[in-house]
Amino acid sequence: MVLGVLSSKNKGRLVCSRTGFDGKGTGIDPLALQFPEFSSGKNDDERQEFDKDSMAVEHIRNGRREFVVKGGSLQVVEKQRKRTLQTKAWDRLMRYFLPVGYPASVGPDYKEYTLWRLCAFFWGGCVGVFSTQGLLLAVGVGRQSSAPLAAALQWVIRDGVGRAGRMLFSQIGTGFDAETKQHRLAAAWVLNMSCTLESISPLFSNFFLPIACVANLAKGASTIAAASTRGAIYKSFMRWENLGDITAKQETVGVAGDLAGTALGILLSRLTSQNIYSSCIAFSTVSLLHLYAVYREVKGLQLSTLNRQRSHMLINAYINSTEVPTVLDINRKERVLFKPWLDSLHRPNIDLAARLHDCAPDAEALVYLIRLYKEEKYILTYERERIRVVLR
């Protein structure tokens, strides 16, 4: 059995996992343990319901266990709460979408992020239906004159190029962790552009292969960029050691939203299939709604790590007012629509671990810098509002 204190605000409130105190290994998910003697504040009402002889109360999924000491022996009294069929169904549904211990086990931004992520996958599913429909029409599905072998070969080539596109964004490296919000939004934008290309491909069926390859290349890059940002986002939600649980629940949310969106996309596709203008309006609408949902998804995040932009805002606020802004304030002010790491926004820029030839363009400059910093572990230059630091 593993015990861990939740927070300093909830003294006497612990979490036990894997097994209950009865040692039977019941597999109960993290349980809340309270000591009535030390309960205060909002728990006072709950305290009145406890047995007066209870030494501790363990909250389980469908009730609670009271630990009573009588006559020198420990007695465990389990009390089940009454649940209606509706309550049981709701609890079962929430187990698929919410991490164990919610909301104590995740950050305060988890709810907002999850709701907008659900919306983003919903509208993304609609967008995917239109793009797939466009590809199938362009490749010749439904036309008697189309050659099945040629169509299949083009589809395989398209998929191969798409897989290669997934390698493009890997060179960003730690940028996914530093500029998480911006890369997540950029991935959504690239995905929508690729779906747009796929949707209009029937208008240029003679150029299906190059259009499909470019679109799937962009889609592959978008997929790897979106997936690479999830780690930093999910890690920011952690309040317990429950990264795996959060990941599983978020993937479930994504699948649910995508399935519902796909159903709506099929309906819209059937309603607008006879009119190209109606189809364009429908696709543009769901595409914009998808981008807006992703924007709200990343704006709702409260990342406690520092990147260049958040550091700049934090230092600037402290210098001007000697007050440290909250995590919520910093994240709400962070720019995500435009590249916030551009030089024009945060001057002077600092290049830590810069390359030596960027600081010393010729031999004379190199000799001068080495003599100037011969006693130091670094070389520092300032040019055109940019500070470069070479580590020795």
Side-chain angles (χ1 to χ4, degrees):
M1 180 174 58
V2 180
L3 295 177
V5 179
L6 280 178
S7 68
S8 58
K9 297 180 181 178
N10 301 318
K11 294 182 178 179
R13 185 173 175 83
L14 304 180
V15 171
C16 89
S17 61
R18 297 193 180 278
T19 63
F21 282 99
D22 53 9
K24 297 179 180 179
T26 55
I28 298 173
D29 294 324
L31 314 170
L33 178 65
Q34 291 183 334
F35 300 94
E37 180 181 356
F38 300 103
S39 298
S40 60
K42 65 179 181 179
N43 292 326
D44 285 343
D45 294 335
E46 297 180 3
R47 182 181 174 183
Q48 302 302 323
E49 301 176 2
F50 299 157
D51 189 294
K52 63 179 181 179
D53 296 323
S54 296
M55 298 298 295
V57 177
E58 182 183 39
H59 293 275
I60 59 178
R61 182 172 293 131
N62 300 325
R64 68 176 185 265
R65 290 175 182 155
E66 296 185 9
F67 296 81
V68 183
V69 177
K70 289 185 178 180
S73 62
L74 176 65
Q75 299 179 5
V76 180
V77 181
E78 188 168 314
K79 297 182 179 181
Q80 298 287 335
R81 62 184 176 91
K82 295 181 179 180
R83 298 197 303 163
T84 63
L85 183 61
Q86 181 180 2
T87 304
K88 291 180 180 179
W90 178 255
D91 289 346
R92 173 67 63 176
L93 182 64
M94 288 301 99
R95 288 178 60 187
Y96 287 106
F97 296 100
L98 296 178
V100 173
Y102 175 86
S105 62
V106 292
D109 52 340
Y110 183 86
K111 179 180 178 181
E112 181 179 358
Y113 173 85
T114 302
L115 290 175
W116 284 111
R117 177 177 168 81
L118 181 66
C119 293
F121 270 88
F122 177 79
W123 296 117
C126 294
V127 173
V129 171
F130 283 96
S131 65
T132 303
Q133 181 189 40
L135 285 174
L136 293 175
L137 291 174
V139 80
V141 174
R143 295 202 308 262
Q144 295 182 354
S145 60
S146 61
L149 183 58
L153 182 60
Q154 291 183 80
W155 198 271
V156 169
I157 294 174
R158 164 192 169 272
D159 284 346
V161 174
R163 293 189 184 96
R166 299 189 178 189
M167 298 184 294
L168 293 179
F169 273 53
S170 61
Q171 61 181 329
I172 296 177
T174 57
F176 289 120
D177 300 297
E179 309 294 346
T180 303
K181 300 178 183 180
Q182 291 77 11
H183 285 118
R184 174 67 186 94
L185 191 59
W189 185 84
V190 172
L191 176 63
N192 277 264
M193 292 301 101
S194 63
C195 289
T196 301
L197 281 176
E198 293 177 342
S199 298
I200 66 173
S201 58
L203 302 176
F204 309 95
S205 57
N206 293 333
F207 301 97
F208 166 77
L209 187 58
I211 292 177
C213 286
V214 171
N216 214 34
L217 184 73
K219 187 178 289 187
S222 169
T223 300
I224 197 67
S228 299
T229 59
R230 292 176 196 160
I233 294 174
Y234 295 166
K235 189 176 180 181
S236 71
F237 293 142
M238 289 175 54
R239 294 301 180 269
W240 301 349
E241 293 298 325
N242 58 343
L243 181 59
D245 188 23
I246 291 174
T247 302
K249 297 305 188 293
Q250 285 298 318
E251 293 305 309
T252 303
V253 168
V255 170
D258 188 63
L259 289 175
T262 300
L264 178 61
I266 293 173
L267 178 61
L268 291 176
S269 176
R270 291 179 64 89
L271 293 175
T272 61
S273 59
Q274 302 302 322
N275 191 320
I276 188 172
Y277 297 105
S278 299
S279 182
C280 289
I281 292 174
F283 175 79
S284 300
T285 301
V286 296
S287 181
L288 290 174
L289 288 172
H290 175 242
L291 287 174
Y292 177 74
V294 175
Y295 170 76
R296 292 300 303 271
E297 173 189 325
V298 298
K299 283 295 290 183
L301 289 172
Q302 299 181 27
L303 301 179
S304 57
T305 55
L306 292 177
N307 59 7
R308 178 182 295 182
Q309 185 180 183
R310 291 192 287 271
S311 300
H312 179 271
M313 290 189 292
L314 186 65
I315 296 172
N316 190 56
Y318 182 77
I319 292 175
N320 293 333
S321 62
T322 68
E323 294 182 0
V324 178
T326 63
V327 173
L328 178 62
D329 292 337
I330 290 293
N331 280 273
R332 287 291 185 263
K333 294 177 182 178
E334 184 178 7
R335 297 187 183 188
V336 295
L337 283 178
F338 304 101
K339 293 177 65 175
W341 52 89
L342 290 176
D343 297 351
S344 58
L345 291 177
H346 306 297
R347 294 178 176 173
N349 272 280
I350 300 176
D351 288 345
L352 188 61
R355 291 175 295 186
L356 184 60
H357 70 81
D358 291 333
C359 301
D362 52 45
E364 183 180 355
L366 178 61
V367 172
Y368 173 77
L369 289 173
I370 292 178
R371 288 178 178 175
L372 182 64
Y373 292 97
K374 64 179 180 179
E375 302 296 335
E376 307 294 343
K377 298 295 183 180
Y378 63 89
I379 294 177
L380 185 146
T381 62
Y382 179 80
E383 182 182 4
R384 297 178 183 177
E385 298 186 332
R386 179 177 292 275
I387 299 174
R388 293 187 173 92
V389 181
V390 179
L391 301 178
R392 303 180 65 179

